[in-house]
Amino acid sequence: MGRKVTVAACALNQWALDFQGNLQRILKSIEIAKRKGARYRLGPELEICGYGCWDHYYESDTLLHSLQVLAALLESPVTQDIICDVGMPVLHRNVRYNCRVIFLNRRILLIRPKMALANEGNYRELRWFTPWSRSRSTHLEFFLRMLAEEKGHPAREGHRPFRGGRQTEEYFLPRMIQDVTKQETVPFGDAVLATRDTCIGSEICEELWTPHSPHVDMGLDGVEIFTNASGSHHVLRKAHTRVDLVTMATTKNGGIYLLANQKGCDGDRLYYDGCALIAMNGHIFAQGSQFSLDDVEVLTATLDLEDVRSYRAEISSRNLAASRVNPYPRVKVDFALSCREDLLEPPSEPVEWMYHSPAEEISLGPACWLWDFLRRSRQAGFFLPLSGGVDSAATACLVYSMCRQVCEAVRNGNQEVLADVRAIVDQLSYTPQDPRDLCGRLLTTCYMASENSSQETCDRAKELARQIGSHHIGLNIDPAVTAVVGIFSLVTGKRPLFAAHGGSSRENLALQNVQARLRMVLAYLFAQLSLWARGARGGLLVLGSANVDESLLGYLTKYDCSSADINPIGGISKTDLKAFVHFCMEHFQLPALQRILAAPATAELEPLTDGQVSQTDEEDMGMTYAELSVYGRLRKIAKAGPYSMFCKLVNMWKDVCSPRQVADKVRQFFSKYAMNRHKMTTLTPAYHAESYSPDDNRFDLRPFLYNSSWPWQFRCIEDQVRQLESRGRQDLDGVD
């Protein structure tokens, strides 16, 4: 009796609107799946067009080219004798749906539209798609239709016979698909596939995360294999949740669960982190990589359907619920996932999921994102202003980590990576072996000194550059600063002074800003021409290095050297960055990082005192980075305004701060946040790694013009403080 099935889940590095490349990667994944013996292949969400098309979904071209790719897949001999499950947008009755198209041997079996759309955080699926809502009737409709059918009443015109509350419709195929499949219509809706040996049901990404996921009812209705096609991006520590959801789904209900996911950067701030997996009955049987430079990764497992059936047999509560479930429409498929003679076929064994630490995630995720940006933008490398502080050092380490991964991929025989790196360095015979050598070809670092810079930071930057192998430049910006300030003085007859020299706070800030902005101008000049000056081709992408906490508070100069082409650390907190730099120091053998970690964070924009730095970031901000991280999580994740934040912090910090001190801290944060929120409109596109990112108009949809005095909110806080102080005095009076 055939009962062992081999199934495949894929992680593909698809690129928005790269239909040719996407098609090739899909075909390659199907070919690999068949070679590994799989009879069912699952790909990522919207893999044909790429997930991150955004408003291109409105364009008829996107739908047309997706259909053309589908036709090419149907016609390809590679897709024969394997059930292929691909993702694409589909227009049905003039409504756009996010769909799975499941086909076998040039015939479409089912088009399954997504029923729960992701519409929070970075996701805007309701902007482009409509959820399929004809999935279940109300209890009253269920009862009335069942009663009518029992009495033999004919269904009214336009009404389908009762199908358990779930509905499918006929989808009329476009002519280009009809010519291939010889089908006029195919089922469209909430249905499952019934093969000769098992039953398969689909979920799509967000549906796994909903309170009542489709796999619950599908499992109760006898579906044994669940598939989930995802477009799920990386956030630090998110993998735990994803794995828990899948294992719990199969623990409670039994069954085999396949999760496929997009990987890589498809043209935006997000990095999709793969993590394809195959689970059964609460255990993981195959784990895909979370971060990899491989464009195509195919995960397979051979599992015994009898293990699902025996697991379910003794769960009486599950069986009782199953006897009452509304049945799914079944699409019969004359095909088996198992073979008749499979007794000697070895089944897959459970594996322990290996999680990366947050520091490892930072070392891998943004580095892979940088690689995709570099190779797809067709630039020749990166230019990084290296200050000798933690943030720019972390950015440099990410490029070095990228170089390490590129060298490792080439050693492992990845010909696509080898071809890309040769194109980037413009040497057809080059084979990267040493990360330091590759870093010297791809990364140019630059220490931009001024009269306010210390020799200590200069030495730290130079030493780190030497250890990672970057091409390092040292220059002095004082002539440019003197020239610009001189123009102002020539026009106005006034010369601004630093506060240390008797100037006002306005003069002091302006003199700091002109240094920062001139560094940005010089960064772009050198990015465009430094390779030309060295006799090499191409330009460099400018890297920013402002962390998420500084961005949140606006502790940066608008259009300064935090302005760049991309920023790999812009979604990472200072706390996590320090842990990452410490990780690099130990694992990459970069001792220069020890001095960088030990040094106080400083912008070095004000005059030195006896040759030593007198300005520090935390003193300038009026708060610590640890406090900033707490404010950020409460503001975004806990959705706390000034008053709610005060109420939460009064309890959180009761052992270290009085209510009055907490109130002062909250007022200070929100005042500065409101005054500087406008800077978020010009933030450099940053790798999204943290769920309290302040990224404007994409993830954090808040105004950028506030009443920074917050009169009503701060008055509520003050009233509460007075009540608490009054209560405290009464408690003291009652003490004998």
Side-chain angles (χ1 to χ4, degrees), residues 380 417-432 437-438 440-442 534-537:
V417 171
L418 179 59
D420 283 334
V421 76
R422 285 174 171 175
I424 291 168
V425 302
D426 195 29
Q427 292 185 21
L428 297 181
S429 61
Y430 176 67
T431 299
D437 174 73
L438 181 58
R441 297 168 185 264
L442 298 184
R534 290 149 58 187
R537 294 182 182 180

Side-chain angles (χ1 to χ4, degrees), residues 419-698:
D420 283 334
V421 76
R422 285 174 171 175
I424 291 168
V425 302
D426 195 29
Q427 292 185 21
L428 297 181
S429 61
Y430 176 67
T431 299
Q433 295 176 327
D434 178 13
R436 292 185 73 255
D437 174 73
L438 181 58
C439 194
R441 297 168 185 264
L442 298 184
L443 177 62
T444 298
T445 52
C446 182
Y447 183 81
M448 302 184 187
S450 75
E451 63 180 0
N452 302 319
S453 303
S454 66
Q455 187 61 43
E456 173 68 17
T457 54
C458 178
D459 292 343
R460 292 200 303 262
K462 186 176 181 179
E463 182 62 14
L464 177 61
R466 186 190 66 80
Q467 291 180 10
I468 65 175
S470 66
H471 178 81
H472 190 64
I473 300 170
L475 58 85
N476 193 297
I477 68 170
D478 284 337
V481 175
T482 300
V484 171
V485 175
I487 293 172
F488 177 83
S489 299
L490 186 65
V491 172
T492 64
K494 291 181 175 292
R495 189 168 191 86
L497 298 174
F498 282 106
H501 300 154
S504 66
S505 59
R506 183 178 298 184
E507 296 169 69
N508 195 65
L509 184 59
L511 288 173
Q512 292 185 64
N513 288 344
V514 72
Q515 298 171 75
R517 290 190 174 115
L518 283 172
R519 284 177 172 142
M520 181 269 291
V521 173
L522 287 169
Y524 274 97
L525 177 66
F526 275 80
Q528 290 174 321
L529 295 179
S530 62
L531 291 183
W532 167 80
R534 290 149 58 187
R537 294 182 182 180
L540 304 175
L541 289 167
V542 179
L543 296 181
S545 53
N547 63 64
V548 70
D549 297 322
E550 291 172 345
S551 299
L552 171 65
L553 193 66
Y555 183 63
L556 52 93
T557 301
K558 209 171 185 180
Y559 306 115
D560 70 345
C561 61
S562 65
S563 301
D565 293 313
I566 51 175
N567 180 2
I569 69 164
I572 305 174
S573 72
K574 191 79 166 187
T575 303
D576 284 334
L577 280 177
K578 286 184 176 180
F580 162 65
V581 171
H582 190 271
F583 171 88
C584 293
M585 180 182 69
E586 294 185 341
H587 289 77
F588 297 167
Q589 286 78 52
L590 301 174
L593 295 174
Q594 187 168 6
R595 292 171 60 197
I596 291 173
L597 281 169
T602 175
E604 286 197 330
L605 295 172
E606 294 188 22
L608 302 174
T609 302
D610 298 326
Q612 300 298 315
V613 172
S614 59
Q615 178 188 28
T616 65
D617 289 354
E618 292 187 337
E619 186 176 343
D620 277 357
M621 293 188 300
M623 59 195 73
T624 66
Y625 279 108
E627 289 173 339
L628 252 181
S629 184
V630 173
Y631 299 147
R633 295 178 190 280
L634 288 176
R635 183 198 67 96
K636 178 63 179 175
I637 301 174
K639 302 165 184 63
Y643 181 73
S644 295
M645 186 179 292
F646 166 76
C647 293
K648 290 179 181 295
L649 289 177
V650 160
N651 285 296
M652 288 175 60
W653 292 348
K654 61 184 178 182
D655 295 331
V656 292
C657 294
S658 68
R660 173 68 62 187
Q661 290 172 322
V662 172
D664 290 342
K665 288 176 179 289
V666 170
R667 282 193 286 256
Q668 182 187 36
F669 166 71
F670 271 100
S671 295
K672 290 191 174 183
Y673 163 77
M675 287 188 287
N676 291 323
R677 175 66 184 172
H678 65 94
K679 296 180 182 180
M680 300 306 97
T681 63
T682 62
L683 275 185
T684 295
Y687 180 95
H688 181 91
E690 186 57 79
S691 50
Y692 68 89
S693 167
D695 194 10
D696 174 66
N697 284 332
R698 301 165 190 91

Side-chain angles (χ1 to χ4, degrees), residues 382-444:
F382 300 109
F383 183 91
L384 172 65
L386 188 61
S387 69
V390 167
D391 293 335
S392 61
T395 305
C397 288
L398 285 174
V399 178
Y400 183 64
S401 175
M402 181 199 80
C403 293
R404 289 169 59 93
Q405 292 186 66
V406 168
C407 291
E408 182 181 1
V410 171
R411 282 196 299 271
N412 293 336
N414 191 317
Q415 294 302 307
E416 290 84 1
V417 171
L418 179 59
D420 283 334
V421 76
R422 285 174 171 175
I424 291 168
V425 302
D426 195 29
Q427 292 185 21
L428 297 181
S429 61
Y430 176 67
T431 299
Q433 295 176 327
D434 178 13
R436 292 185 73 255
D437 174 73
L438 181 58
C439 194
R441 297 168 185 264
L442 298 184
L443 177 62
T444 298

